[in-house]
Amino acid sequence: MEKIVFEKSDIRDFVKTTIAEKIEKLKNFIEFTLEASRDIKKTPKYDSMREEMQEEIYQMQRQLGALNDLKRNMAKVLNNSTERIQLGSLVITNKARFYISVSLGEFFFEGDRFYAISPESPMAKKMMGMRAGDEFTLNKIHQKIVEVL
């Protein structure tokens, strides 16, 4: 993997914006579903349709709560540069790029693939405290840490 310069603050802003966009989209879906449930006319299937919509709204509200938790947790992620891996580190290995922040999963930033992972994830726990040049194996996959930002 050739050395590419990444601005960690840009990646942090991108993750925060992605979470905010998901929250906004989910709020719109909830509002749309609430309006639709109010517009249902009394029909033989009225009760079961309203019940299904209520269940859908409940599920979306749970997702919204989880996204709000991600947003709150993202506020705790600092943008400091350190030699050792910690919360907020951008870790470049010979296999992948990890941003230790929140559990957002895979995302693409400026054409490159990254993984936003929680500090509680097995991968982050394995890497915590390591520095560039260290190596580790997780799930039979050996990786070398190329850079820590």
Side-chain angles (χ1 to χ4, degrees), residues 25-73:
K25 194 182 289 185
L26 202 50
K27 283 180 179 177
N28 290 337
F29 281 144
I30 290 170
E31 186 59 37
F32 175 80
T33 307
L34 280 169
E35 281 183 34
S37 72
R38 288 185 211 111
D39 291 343
I40 295 175
K41 304 291 181 232
K42 295 261 184 192
T43 66
K45 294 183 179 178
Y46 171 78
D47 288 335
S48 65
M49 286 172 59
R50 278 189 59 103
E51 195 173 298
E52 282 180 35
M53 289 179 122
Q54 282 304 120
E55 181 61 31
E56 188 68 28
I57 290 167
Y58 173 72
Q59 293 298 330
M60 287 189 285
Q61 287 172 333
R62 284 185 46 216
Q63 289 175 350
L64 185 60
L67 285 170
N68 281 321
D69 286 346
L70 285 183
K71 184 178 177 181
R72 268 190 302 282
N73 290 339

mmCIF file of all heavy atoms in Angstrom, residues 25-73:
data_model
loop_
_atom_site.group_PDB
_atom_site.id
_atom_site.type_symbol
_atom_site.label_atom_id
_atom_site.label_comp_id
_atom_site.label_asym_id
_atom_site.label_seq_id
_atom_site.Cartn_x
_atom_site.Cartn_y
_atom_site.Cartn_z
ATOM 1 N N LYS A 25 -32.620 11.662 7.670
ATOM 2 C CA LYS A 25 -33.387 10.788 6.774
ATOM 3 C C LYS A 25 -34.383 9.945 7.568
ATOM 4 O O LYS A 25 -35.541 9.803 7.182
ATOM 5 C CB LYS A 25 -32.427 9.880 5.994
ATOM 6 C CG LYS A 25 -33.076 9.174 4.819
ATOM 7 C CD LYS A 25 -32.100 8.255 4.108
ATOM 8 C CE LYS A 25 -31.051 9.018 3.349
ATOM 9 N NZ LYS A 25 -30.168 8.144 2.558
ATOM 10 N N LEU A 26 -33.944 9.408 8.691
ATOM 11 C CA LEU A 26 -34.817 8.577 9.524
ATOM 12 C C LEU A 26 -35.957 9.401 10.113
ATOM 13 O O LEU A 26 -37.102 8.939 10.162
ATOM 14 C CB LEU A 26 -34.000 7.905 10.624
ATOM 15 C CG LEU A 26 -34.579 6.646 11.240
ATOM 16 C CD1 LEU A 26 -35.008 5.628 10.203
ATOM 17 C CD2 LEU A 26 -33.563 6.013 12.180
ATOM 18 N N LYS A 27 -35.661 10.627 10.537
ATOM 19 C CA LYS A 27 -36.727 11.508 11.050
ATOM 20 C C LYS A 27 -37.778 11.752 9.970
ATOM 21 O O LYS A 27 -38.981 11.744 10.253
ATOM 22 C CB LYS A 27 -36.143 12.849 11.512
ATOM 23 C CG LYS A 27 -35.458 12.783 12.849
ATOM 24 C CD LYS A 27 -34.917 14.159 13.228
ATOM 25 C CE LYS A 27 -34.243 14.141 14.571
ATOM 26 N NZ LYS A 27 -33.668 15.461 14.903
ATOM 27 N N ASN A 28 -37.324 11.964 8.735
ATOM 28 C CA ASN A 28 -38.261 12.163 7.622
ATOM 29 C C ASN A 28 -39.109 10.920 7.375
ATOM 30 O O ASN A 28 -40.310 11.022 7.118
ATOM 31 C CB ASN A 28 -37.514 12.568 6.352
ATOM 32 C CG ASN A 28 -36.942 13.964 6.442
ATOM 33 O OD1 ASN A 28 -37.407 14.796 7.221
ATOM 34 N ND2 ASN A 28 -35.906 14.232 5.670
ATOM 35 N N PHE A 29 -38.490 9.731 7.431
ATOM 36 C CA PHE A 29 -39.241 8.480 7.255
ATOM 37 C C PHE A 29 -40.286 8.320 8.357
ATOM 38 O O PHE A 29 -41.416 7.909 8.093
ATOM 39 C CB PHE A 29 -38.308 7.257 7.269
ATOM 40 C CG PHE A 29 -37.582 7.007 5.987
ATOM 41 C CD1 PHE A 29 -36.281 6.518 6.003
ATOM 42 C CD2 PHE A 29 -38.177 7.228 4.751
ATOM 43 C CE1 PHE A 29 -35.591 6.271 4.826
ATOM 44 C CE2 PHE A 29 -37.502 6.984 3.560
ATOM 45 C CZ PHE A 29 -36.206 6.513 3.607
ATOM 46 N N ILE A 30 -39.900 8.630 9.590
ATOM 47 C CA ILE A 30 -40.841 8.507 10.710
ATOM 48 C C ILE A 30 -42.021 9.443 10.510
ATOM 49 O O ILE A 30 -43.177 9.044 10.665
ATOM 50 C CB ILE A 30 -40.128 8.780 12.059
ATOM 51 C CG1 ILE A 30 -39.154 7.634 12.390
ATOM 52 C CG2 ILE A 30 -41.151 8.942 13.189
ATOM 53 C CD1 ILE A 30 -38.236 7.918 13.574
ATOM 54 N N GLU A 31 -41.734 10.687 10.149
ATOM 55 C CA GLU A 31 -42.806 11.670 9.918
ATOM 56 C C GLU A 31 -43.731 11.219 8.782
ATOM 57 O O GLU A 31 -44.947 11.296 8.895
ATOM 58 C CB GLU A 31 -42.207 13.048 9.619
ATOM 59 C CG GLU A 31 -43.236 14.143 9.513
ATOM 60 C CD GLU A 31 -44.073 14.308 10.778
ATOM 61 O OE1 GLU A 31 -43.541 14.163 11.885
ATOM 62 O OE2 GLU A 31 -45.284 14.571 10.634
ATOM 63 N N PHE A 32 -43.138 10.743 7.691
ATOM 64 C CA PHE A 32 -43.921 10.263 6.558
ATOM 65 C C PHE A 32 -44.829 9.097 6.973
ATOM 66 O O PHE A 32 -46.006 9.064 6.632
ATOM 67 C CB PHE A 32 -42.980 9.816 5.424
ATOM 68 C CG PHE A 32 -43.694 9.193 4.264
ATOM 69 C CD1 PHE A 32 -44.326 9.981 3.310
ATOM 70 C CD2 PHE A 32 -43.732 7.815 4.122
ATOM 71 C CE1 PHE A 32 -44.986 9.401 2.239
ATOM 72 C CE2 PHE A 32 -44.394 7.232 3.059
ATOM 73 C CZ PHE A 32 -45.025 8.023 2.111
ATOM 74 N N THR A 33 -44.270 8.158 7.736
ATOM 75 C CA THR A 33 -45.043 6.990 8.170
ATOM 76 C C THR A 33 -46.153 7.398 9.133
ATOM 77 O O THR A 33 -47.270 6.872 9.066
ATOM 78 C CB THR A 33 -44.115 5.936 8.813
ATOM 79 O OG1 THR A 33 -43.048 5.644 7.910
ATOM 80 C CG2 THR A 33 -44.858 4.649 9.112
ATOM 81 N N LEU A 34 -45.874 8.363 10.021
ATOM 82 C CA LEU A 34 -46.913 8.859 10.932
ATOM 83 C C LEU A 34 -48.064 9.497 10.153
ATOM 84 O O LEU A 34 -49.236 9.251 10.444
ATOM 85 C CB LEU A 34 -46.323 9.880 11.912
ATOM 86 C CG LEU A 34 -45.568 9.318 13.102
ATOM 87 C CD1 LEU A 34 -44.813 10.427 13.823
ATOM 88 C CD2 LEU A 34 -46.498 8.603 14.054
ATOM 89 N N GLU A 35 -47.721 10.318 9.170
ATOM 90 C CA GLU A 35 -48.762 10.948 8.342
ATOM 91 C C GLU A 35 -49.571 9.898 7.593
ATOM 92 O O GLU A 35 -50.797 9.989 7.523
ATOM 93 C CB GLU A 35 -48.137 11.926 7.348
ATOM 94 C CG GLU A 35 -47.769 13.249 7.958
ATOM 95 C CD GLU A 35 -47.220 14.219 6.936
ATOM 96 O OE1 GLU A 35 -47.681 14.190 5.769
ATOM 97 O OE2 GLU A 35 -46.332 15.002 7.303
ATOM 98 N N ALA A 36 -48.884 8.916 7.042
ATOM 99 C CA ALA A 36 -49.574 7.853 6.299
ATOM 100 C C ALA A 36 -50.503 7.078 7.214
ATOM 101 O O ALA A 36 -51.619 6.714 6.812
ATOM 102 C CB ALA A 36 -48.556 6.923 5.647
ATOM 103 N N SER A 37 -50.072 6.837 8.450
ATOM 104 C CA SER A 37 -50.924 6.078 9.373
ATOM 105 C C SER A 37 -52.170 6.873 9.746
ATOM 106 O O SER A 37 -53.223 6.295 9.998
ATOM 107 C CB SER A 37 -50.149 5.656 10.626
ATOM 108 O OG SER A 37 -49.905 6.757 11.457
ATOM 109 N N ARG A 38 -52.078 8.201 9.768
ATOM 110 C CA ARG A 38 -53.246 9.043 10.047
ATOM 111 C C ARG A 38 -54.221 9.074 8.874
ATOM 112 O O ARG A 38 -55.410 9.311 9.054
ATOM 113 C CB ARG A 38 -52.802 10.473 10.374
ATOM 114 C CG ARG A 38 -52.151 10.597 11.728
ATOM 115 C CD ARG A 38 -51.852 12.067 12.054
ATOM 116 N NE ARG A 38 -50.674 12.128 12.895
ATOM 117 C CZ ARG A 38 -49.489 12.614 12.529
ATOM 118 N NH1 ARG A 38 -49.329 13.148 11.345
ATOM 119 N NH2 ARG A 38 -48.482 12.597 13.369
ATOM 120 N N ASP A 39 -53.690 8.873 7.675
ATOM 121 C CA ASP A 39 -54.515 8.958 6.469
ATOM 122 C C ASP A 39 -55.238 7.668 6.114
ATOM 123 O O ASP A 39 -56.044 7.650 5.192
ATOM 124 C CB ASP A 39 -53.651 9.385 5.270
ATOM 125 C CG ASP A 39 -53.176 10.822 5.396
ATOM 126 O OD1 ASP A 39 -53.754 11.565 6.213
ATOM 127 O OD2 ASP A 39 -52.228 11.190 4.692
ATOM 128 N N ILE A 40 -54.947 6.595 6.828
ATOM 129 C CA ILE A 40 -55.590 5.312 6.522
ATOM 130 C C ILE A 40 -57.082 5.422 6.836
ATOM 131 O O ILE A 40 -57.473 5.845 7.920
ATOM 132 C CB ILE A 40 -54.966 4.160 7.341
ATOM 133 C CG1 ILE A 40 -53.515 3.960 6.924
ATOM 134 C CG2 ILE A 40 -55.746 2.872 7.145
ATOM 135 C CD1 ILE A 40 -52.797 2.922 7.756
ATOM 136 N N LYS A 41 -57.867 5.057 5.876
ATOM 137 C CA LYS A 41 -59.332 5.093 6.054
ATOM 138 C C LYS A 41 -59.799 3.789 6.690
ATOM 139 O O LYS A 41 -59.153 2.764 6.573
ATOM 140 C CB LYS A 41 -60.028 5.273 4.697
ATOM 141 C CG LYS A 41 -59.567 6.499 3.935
ATOM 142 C CD LYS A 41 -60.035 7.778 4.608
ATOM 143 C CE LYS A 41 -59.590 8.989 3.831
ATOM 144 N NZ LYS A 41 -58.898 9.985 4.579
ATOM 145 N N LYS A 42 -60.905 3.881 7.355
ATOM 146 C CA LYS A 42 -61.471 2.677 7.982
ATOM 147 C C LYS A 42 -61.835 1.668 6.896
ATOM 148 O O LYS A 42 -62.680 1.933 6.061
ATOM 149 C CB LYS A 42 -62.730 3.032 8.788
ATOM 150 C CG LYS A 42 -62.468 3.922 9.973
ATOM 151 C CD LYS A 42 -62.395 3.110 11.226
ATOM 152 C CE LYS A 42 -62.240 4.028 12.428
ATOM 153 N NZ LYS A 42 -61.887 3.325 13.610
ATOM 154 N N THR A 43 -61.140 0.561 6.923
ATOM 155 C CA THR A 43 -61.400 -0.538 5.992
ATOM 156 C C THR A 43 -61.347 -1.822 6.807
ATOM 157 O O THR A 43 -60.957 -1.812 7.974
ATOM 158 C CB THR A 43 -60.311 -0.611 4.888
ATOM 159 O OG1 THR A 43 -59.080 -0.943 5.490
ATOM 160 C CG2 THR A 43 -60.199 0.692 4.115
ATOM 161 N N PRO A 44 -61.716 -2.942 6.195
ATOM 162 C CA PRO A 44 -61.626 -4.201 6.934
ATOM 163 C C PRO A 44 -60.196 -4.493 7.422
ATOM 164 O O PRO A 44 -60.012 -5.155 8.433
ATOM 165 C CB PRO A 44 -62.077 -5.252 5.914
ATOM 166 C CG PRO A 44 -62.942 -4.503 4.957
ATOM 167 C CD PRO A 44 -62.380 -3.109 4.894
ATOM 168 N N LYS A 45 -59.195 -3.979 6.712
ATOM 169 C CA LYS A 45 -57.810 -4.245 7.103
ATOM 170 C C LYS A 45 -57.216 -3.095 7.920
ATOM 171 O O LYS A 45 -56.025 -3.063 8.184
ATOM 172 C CB LYS A 45 -56.951 -4.467 5.864
ATOM 173 C CG LYS A 45 -57.313 -5.719 5.099
ATOM 174 C CD LYS A 45 -56.371 -5.909 3.940
ATOM 175 C CE LYS A 45 -56.729 -7.170 3.184
ATOM 176 N NZ LYS A 45 -55.870 -7.377 2.035
ATOM 177 N N TYR A 46 -58.049 -2.156 8.319
ATOM 178 C CA TYR A 46 -57.609 -0.947 9.013
ATOM 179 C C TYR A 46 -56.732 -1.236 10.231
ATOM 180 O O TYR A 46 -55.629 -0.710 10.354
ATOM 181 C CB TYR A 46 -58.840 -0.124 9.414
ATOM 182 C CG TYR A 46 -58.565 1.047 10.313
ATOM 183 C CD1 TYR A 46 -58.047 2.228 9.795
ATOM 184 C CD2 TYR A 46 -58.819 0.973 11.679
ATOM 185 C CE1 TYR A 46 -57.796 3.309 10.609
ATOM 186 C CE2 TYR A 46 -58.571 2.057 12.506
ATOM 187 C CZ TYR A 46 -58.062 3.220 11.967
ATOM 188 O OH TYR A 46 -57.817 4.280 12.775
ATOM 189 N N ASP A 47 -57.215 -2.078 11.143
ATOM 190 C CA ASP A 47 -56.477 -2.338 12.382
ATOM 191 C C ASP A 47 -55.116 -2.988 12.131
ATOM 192 O O ASP A 47 -54.120 -2.595 12.739
ATOM 193 C CB ASP A 47 -57.304 -3.220 13.327
ATOM 194 C CG ASP A 47 -58.469 -2.462 13.937
ATOM 195 O OD1 ASP A 47 -58.377 -1.221 14.031
ATOM 196 O OD2 ASP A 47 -59.456 -3.108 14.308
ATOM 197 N N SER A 48 -55.071 -3.970 11.237
ATOM 198 C CA SER A 48 -53.796 -4.654 10.997
ATOM 199 C C SER A 48 -52.803 -3.722 10.286
ATOM 200 O O SER A 48 -51.605 -3.750 10.575
ATOM 201 C CB SER A 48 -53.994 -5.939 10.203
ATOM 202 O OG SER A 48 -54.481 -5.660 8.914
ATOM 203 N N MET A 49 -53.293 -2.857 9.393
ATOM 204 C CA MET A 49 -52.401 -1.913 8.709
ATOM 205 C C MET A 49 -51.824 -0.898 9.699
ATOM 206 O O MET A 49 -50.634 -0.604 9.679
ATOM 207 C CB MET A 49 -53.148 -1.182 7.586
ATOM 208 C CG MET A 49 -53.398 -2.058 6.364
ATOM 209 S SD MET A 49 -54.464 -1.286 5.129
ATOM 210 C CE MET A 49 -53.563 0.186 4.720
ATOM 211 N N ARG A 50 -52.691 -0.371 10.561
ATOM 212 C CA ARG A 50 -52.210 0.603 11.562
ATOM 213 C C ARG A 50 -51.218 -0.065 12.523
ATOM 214 O O ARG A 50 -50.220 0.542 12.912
ATOM 215 C CB ARG A 50 -53.377 1.207 12.332
ATOM 216 C CG ARG A 50 -54.043 2.340 11.569
ATOM 217 C CD ARG A 50 -55.052 3.073 12.404
ATOM 218 N NE ARG A 50 -54.475 3.664 13.605
ATOM 219 C CZ ARG A 50 -54.197 4.949 13.736
ATOM 220 N NH1 ARG A 50 -54.400 5.767 12.739
ATOM 221 N NH2 ARG A 50 -53.719 5.411 14.864
ATOM 222 N N GLU A 51 -51.500 -1.292 12.876
ATOM 223 C CA GLU A 51 -50.606 -2.017 13.781
ATOM 224 C C GLU A 51 -49.232 -2.226 13.138
ATOM 225 O O GLU A 51 -48.201 -2.032 13.789
ATOM 226 C CB GLU A 51 -51.242 -3.367 14.133
ATOM 227 C CG GLU A 51 -50.605 -4.053 15.313
ATOM 228 C CD GLU A 51 -51.373 -5.296 15.710
ATOM 229 O OE1 GLU A 51 -52.560 -5.182 16.094
ATOM 230 O OE2 GLU A 51 -50.765 -6.377 15.629
ATOM 231 N N GLU A 52 -49.214 -2.589 11.856
ATOM 232 C CA GLU A 52 -47.950 -2.770 11.137
ATOM 233 C C GLU A 52 -47.184 -1.456 11.058
ATOM 234 O O GLU A 52 -45.961 -1.424 11.232
ATOM 235 C CB GLU A 52 -48.195 -3.299 9.722
ATOM 236 C CG GLU A 52 -48.494 -4.776 9.669
ATOM 237 C CD GLU A 52 -48.724 -5.266 8.257
ATOM 238 O OE1 GLU A 52 -48.066 -4.752 7.324
ATOM 239 O OE2 GLU A 52 -49.565 -6.159 8.084
ATOM 240 N N MET A 53 -47.908 -0.376 10.804
ATOM 241 C CA MET A 53 -47.248 0.927 10.706
ATOM 242 C C MET A 53 -46.691 1.353 12.068
ATOM 243 O O MET A 53 -45.604 1.919 12.143
ATOM 244 C CB MET A 53 -48.208 1.981 10.166
ATOM 245 C CG MET A 53 -48.521 1.779 8.689
ATOM 246 S SD MET A 53 -49.651 3.005 8.092
ATOM 247 C CE MET A 53 -48.675 3.701 6.777
ATOM 248 N N GLN A 54 -47.427 1.081 13.127
ATOM 249 C CA GLN A 54 -46.942 1.407 14.461
ATOM 250 C C GLN A 54 -45.670 0.627 14.779
ATOM 251 O O GLN A 54 -44.736 1.162 15.369
ATOM 252 C CB GLN A 54 -48.015 1.123 15.526
ATOM 253 C CG GLN A 54 -49.092 2.175 15.617
ATOM 254 C CD GLN A 54 -48.522 3.564 15.872
ATOM 255 O OE1 GLN A 54 -48.715 4.455 15.067
ATOM 256 N NE2 GLN A 54 -47.811 3.739 16.962
ATOM 257 N N GLU A 55 -45.639 -0.634 14.384
ATOM 258 C CA GLU A 55 -44.448 -1.456 14.593
ATOM 259 C C GLU A 55 -43.268 -0.883 13.804
ATOM 260 O O GLU A 55 -42.151 -0.811 14.302
ATOM 261 C CB GLU A 55 -44.719 -2.908 14.181
ATOM 262 C CG GLU A 55 -43.552 -3.842 14.374
ATOM 263 C CD GLU A 55 -43.084 -3.957 15.825
ATOM 264 O OE1 GLU A 55 -43.908 -3.822 16.747
ATOM 265 O OE2 GLU A 55 -41.867 -4.177 16.025
ATOM 266 N N GLU A 56 -43.534 -0.460 12.575
ATOM 267 C CA GLU A 56 -42.493 0.141 11.727
ATOM 268 C C GLU A 56 -41.961 1.429 12.367
ATOM 269 O O GLU A 56 -40.751 1.663 12.414
ATOM 270 C CB GLU A 56 -43.067 0.428 10.333
ATOM 271 C CG GLU A 56 -42.037 0.874 9.326
ATOM 272 C CD GLU A 56 -41.052 -0.218 8.948
ATOM 273 O OE1 GLU A 56 -41.398 -1.404 9.010
ATOM 274 O OE2 GLU A 56 -39.915 0.147 8.602
ATOM 275 N N ILE A 57 -42.863 2.248 12.877
ATOM 276 C CA ILE A 57 -42.469 3.498 13.539
ATOM 277 C C ILE A 57 -41.625 3.191 14.775
ATOM 278 O O ILE A 57 -40.592 3.829 15.016
ATOM 279 C CB ILE A 57 -43.711 4.343 13.909
ATOM 280 C CG1 ILE A 57 -44.357 4.885 12.626
ATOM 281 C CG2 ILE A 57 -43.360 5.476 14.863
ATOM 282 C CD1 ILE A 57 -45.748 5.470 12.827
ATOM 283 N N TYR A 58 -42.037 2.185 15.539
ATOM 284 C CA TYR A 58 -41.290 1.785 16.728
ATOM 285 C C TYR A 58 -39.864 1.370 16.362
ATOM 286 O O TYR A 58 -38.899 1.777 17.010
ATOM 287 C CB TYR A 58 -42.032 0.649 17.446
ATOM 288 C CG TYR A 58 -41.264 0.049 18.591
ATOM 289 C CD1 TYR A 58 -41.085 0.758 19.778
ATOM 290 C CD2 TYR A 58 -40.714 -1.218 18.484
ATOM 291 C CE1 TYR A 58 -40.360 0.203 20.827
ATOM 292 C CE2 TYR A 58 -39.994 -1.776 19.524
ATOM 293 C CZ TYR A 58 -39.820 -1.056 20.696
ATOM 294 O OH TYR A 58 -39.098 -1.599 21.726
ATOM 295 N N GLN A 59 -39.743 0.569 15.305
ATOM 296 C CA GLN A 59 -38.413 0.115 14.861
ATOM 297 C C GLN A 59 -37.550 1.300 14.425
ATOM 298 O O GLN A 59 -36.367 1.370 14.751
ATOM 299 C CB GLN A 59 -38.535 -0.890 13.707
ATOM 300 C CG GLN A 59 -39.164 -2.208 14.089
ATOM 301 C CD GLN A 59 -38.363 -2.966 15.125
ATOM 302 O OE1 GLN A 59 -37.152 -2.867 15.210
ATOM 303 N NE2 GLN A 59 -39.062 -3.711 15.964
ATOM 304 N N MET A 60 -38.141 2.240 13.698
ATOM 305 C CA MET A 60 -37.389 3.408 13.247
ATOM 306 C C MET A 60 -36.978 4.285 14.428
ATOM 307 O O MET A 60 -35.888 4.856 14.436
ATOM 308 C CB MET A 60 -38.198 4.218 12.225
ATOM 309 C CG MET A 60 -38.284 3.542 10.865
ATOM 310 S SD MET A 60 -39.011 4.584 9.576
ATOM 311 C CE MET A 60 -40.730 4.537 10.003
ATOM 312 N N GLN A 61 -37.837 4.395 15.433
ATOM 313 C CA GLN A 61 -37.491 5.182 16.612
ATOM 314 C C GLN A 61 -36.323 4.541 17.374
ATOM 315 O O GLN A 61 -35.473 5.251 17.914
ATOM 316 C CB GLN A 61 -38.710 5.357 17.519
ATOM 317 C CG GLN A 61 -39.713 6.333 16.940
ATOM 318 C CD GLN A 61 -41.025 6.382 17.703
ATOM 319 O OE1 GLN A 61 -41.435 5.404 18.341
ATOM 320 N NE2 GLN A 61 -41.702 7.509 17.622
ATOM 321 N N ARG A 62 -36.281 3.220 17.401
ATOM 322 C CA ARG A 62 -35.142 2.528 18.026
ATOM 323 C C ARG A 62 -33.858 2.807 17.245
ATOM 324 O O ARG A 62 -32.810 3.058 17.832
ATOM 325 C CB ARG A 62 -35.397 1.027 18.096
ATOM 326 C CG ARG A 62 -36.391 0.678 19.207
ATOM 327 C CD ARG A 62 -36.615 -0.805 19.431
ATOM 328 N NE ARG A 62 -35.391 -1.578 19.482
ATOM 329 C CZ ARG A 62 -35.257 -2.803 18.995
ATOM 330 N NH1 ARG A 62 -36.279 -3.411 18.439
ATOM 331 N NH2 ARG A 62 -34.126 -3.455 19.085
ATOM 332 N N GLN A 63 -33.947 2.768 15.908
ATOM 333 C CA GLN A 63 -32.783 3.080 15.075
ATOM 334 C C GLN A 63 -32.342 4.530 15.299
ATOM 335 O O GLN A 63 -31.141 4.810 15.367
ATOM 336 C CB GLN A 63 -33.105 2.877 13.594
ATOM 337 C CG GLN A 63 -33.262 1.439 13.186
ATOM 338 C CD GLN A 63 -33.704 1.300 11.727
ATOM 339 O OE1 GLN A 63 -34.071 2.278 11.080
ATOM 340 N NE2 GLN A 63 -33.676 0.080 11.216
ATOM 341 N N LEU A 64 -33.307 5.417 15.421
ATOM 342 C CA LEU A 64 -33.005 6.827 15.661
ATOM 343 C C LEU A 64 -32.273 6.992 16.992
ATOM 344 O O LEU A 64 -31.307 7.748 17.093
ATOM 345 C CB LEU A 64 -34.294 7.655 15.641
ATOM 346 C CG LEU A 64 -34.146 9.162 15.752
ATOM 347 C CD1 LEU A 64 -33.321 9.706 14.592
ATOM 348 C CD2 LEU A 64 -35.522 9.829 15.778
ATOM 349 N N GLY A 65 -32.716 6.265 17.999
ATOM 350 C CA GLY A 65 -32.034 6.301 19.297
ATOM 351 C C GLY A 65 -30.593 5.835 19.183
ATOM 352 O O GLY A 65 -29.678 6.446 19.762
ATOM 353 N N ALA A 66 -30.378 4.774 18.422
ATOM 354 C CA ALA A 66 -29.021 4.247 18.235
ATOM 355 C C ALA A 66 -28.155 5.262 17.483
ATOM 356 O O ALA A 66 -26.977 5.463 17.831
ATOM 357 C CB ALA A 66 -29.064 2.924 17.474
ATOM 358 N N LEU A 67 -28.715 5.922 16.479
ATOM 359 C CA LEU A 67 -27.959 6.933 15.737
ATOM 360 C C LEU A 67 -27.635 8.137 16.618
ATOM 361 O O LEU A 67 -26.540 8.693 16.539
ATOM 362 C CB LEU A 67 -28.735 7.386 14.495
ATOM 363 C CG LEU A 67 -28.742 6.402 13.325
ATOM 364 C CD1 LEU A 67 -29.736 6.829 12.258
ATOM 365 C CD2 LEU A 67 -27.344 6.273 12.727
ATOM 366 N N ASN A 68 -28.573 8.521 17.467
ATOM 367 C CA ASN A 68 -28.305 9.623 18.393
ATOM 368 C C ASN A 68 -27.200 9.251 19.379
ATOM 369 O O ASN A 68 -26.392 10.092 19.762
ATOM 370 C CB ASN A 68 -29.583 10.058 19.122
ATOM 371 C CG ASN A 68 -30.450 10.947 18.251
ATOM 372 O OD1 ASN A 68 -29.959 11.789 17.527
ATOM 373 N ND2 ASN A 68 -31.754 10.740 18.323
ATOM 374 N N ASP A 69 -27.157 7.969 19.782
ATOM 375 C CA ASP A 69 -26.064 7.488 20.634
ATOM 376 C C ASP A 69 -24.724 7.608 19.898
ATOM 377 O O ASP A 69 -23.724 8.034 20.485
ATOM 378 C CB ASP A 69 -26.282 6.032 21.052
ATOM 379 C CG ASP A 69 -27.366 5.875 22.105
ATOM 380 O OD1 ASP A 69 -27.773 6.890 22.717
ATOM 381 O OD2 ASP A 69 -27.821 4.730 22.309
ATOM 382 N N LEU A 70 -24.708 7.234 18.607
ATOM 383 C CA LEU A 70 -23.484 7.364 17.812
ATOM 384 C C LEU A 70 -23.045 8.828 17.755
ATOM 385 O O LEU A 70 -21.863 9.138 17.897
ATOM 386 C CB LEU A 70 -23.694 6.855 16.378
ATOM 387 C CG LEU A 70 -23.766 5.357 16.147
ATOM 388 C CD1 LEU A 70 -23.899 5.060 14.654
ATOM 389 C CD2 LEU A 70 -22.561 4.637 16.710
ATOM 390 N N LYS A 71 -24.016 9.706 17.549
ATOM 391 C CA LYS A 71 -23.710 11.137 17.473
ATOM 392 C C LYS A 71 -23.099 11.632 18.789
ATOM 393 O O LYS A 71 -22.100 12.357 18.787
ATOM 394 C CB LYS A 71 -24.990 11.918 17.144
ATOM 395 C CG LYS A 71 -24.779 13.395 16.939
ATOM 396 C CD LYS A 71 -26.092 14.053 16.562
ATOM 397 C CE LYS A 71 -25.940 15.547 16.422
ATOM 398 N NZ LYS A 71 -27.209 16.188 16.082
ATOM 399 N N ARG A 72 -23.688 11.218 19.913
ATOM 400 C CA ARG A 72 -23.158 11.600 21.233
ATOM 401 C C ARG A 72 -21.754 11.038 21.437
ATOM 402 O O ARG A 72 -20.850 11.727 21.912
ATOM 403 C CB ARG A 72 -24.077 11.100 22.349
ATOM 404 C CG ARG A 72 -25.134 12.100 22.762
ATOM 405 C CD ARG A 72 -25.853 11.672 24.025
ATOM 406 N NE ARG A 72 -26.512 10.379 23.935
ATOM 407 C CZ ARG A 72 -27.685 10.175 23.330
ATOM 408 N NH1 ARG A 72 -28.315 11.165 22.761
ATOM 409 N NH2 ARG A 72 -28.221 8.981 23.295
ATOM 410 N N ASN A 73 -21.567 9.774 21.072
ATOM 411 C CA ASN A 73 -20.252 9.148 21.234
ATOM 412 C C ASN A 73 -19.209 9.788 20.319
ATOM 413 O O ASN A 73 -18.041 9.907 20.687
ATOM 414 C CB ASN A 73 -20.329 7.642 20.977
ATOM 415 C CG ASN A 73 -21.073 6.916 22.075
ATOM 416 O OD1 ASN A 73 -21.197 7.413 23.191
ATOM 417 N ND2 ASN A 73 -21.608 5.755 21.757
#
